[in-house]
């Protein structure tokens, strides 16, 4: 089943995000290589694809997991969690309707 992992960044976490990004991307790449990643990306703090010093307010990942428990465990082990980038992470089942 698909799950949406919705994370909110902690205040002033841009440098921690930059530092932890390679490990975070490596995990996402593994999901993509396994054919389980639907989409992933950050929420820029301003209306710009490159927000610079404004940074980001969080991230969204939609991926396939066997259960919500597995999705939550995967999210909890994210390098952004360990680095203190994410202040909150919510994992919810997701039903894909479009694109069909």
């Amino acid at each position: 089943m698909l799950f949406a992992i919705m994370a909110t960044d902690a205040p002033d976490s841009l440098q921690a995000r930059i530092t932890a990004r390679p490990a975070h991307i490596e995990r996402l790449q593994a999901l993509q290589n396994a054919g389980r990643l639907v989409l992933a990306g950050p929420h820029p703090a301003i209306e710009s694809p490159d927000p610079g010093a404004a940074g980001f307010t969080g991230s969204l990942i939609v991926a396939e997991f066997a259960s919500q428990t597995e999705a939550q465990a995967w999210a909890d082990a994210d390098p952004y969690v360990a680095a203190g980038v994410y202040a909150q992470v919510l994992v919810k089942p997701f039903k894909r309707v479009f694109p069909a």
Side-chain angles (χ1 to χ4, degrees), residues 1-42:
M1 177 166 199
L2 294 178
F3 291 88
I5 300 170
M6 300 165 285
T8 303
D9 282 14
D12 302 315
S13 61
L14 181 58
Q15 189 54 53
R17 177 183 270 272
I18 291 167
T19 301
R21 187 172 191 273
H24 173 77
I25 294 297
E26 185 176 316
R27 294 179 83 235
L28 290 170
Q29 187 65 56
L31 279 180
Q32 182 172 312
N33 292 348
R36 295 170 48 200
L37 183 64
V38 174
L39 64 87

Side-chain angles (χ1 to χ4, degrees), residues 84-100:
V85 174
Y86 292 156
Q88 179 182 20
V89 178
L90 180 62
V91 177
K92 296 174 77 170
F94 181 80
K95 181 180 175 184
R96 180 178 173 160
V97 176
F98 290 102

Side-chain angles (χ1 to χ4, degrees), residues 42-99:
H43 300 285
I46 60 173
E47 191 175 335
S48 172
D50 182 6
F56 301 91
T57 62
S59 300
L60 171 64
I61 299 165
V62 178
E64 186 176 337
F65 293 93
S67 67
Q68 188 161 355
T69 300
E70 182 185 315
Q72 186 69 59
W74 188 91
D76 290 345
D78 194 288
Y80 281 176
V81 172
V85 174
Y86 292 156
Q88 179 182 20
V89 178
L90 180 62
V91 177
K92 296 174 77 170
F94 181 80
K95 181 180 175 184
R96 180 178 173 160
V97 176
F98 290 102

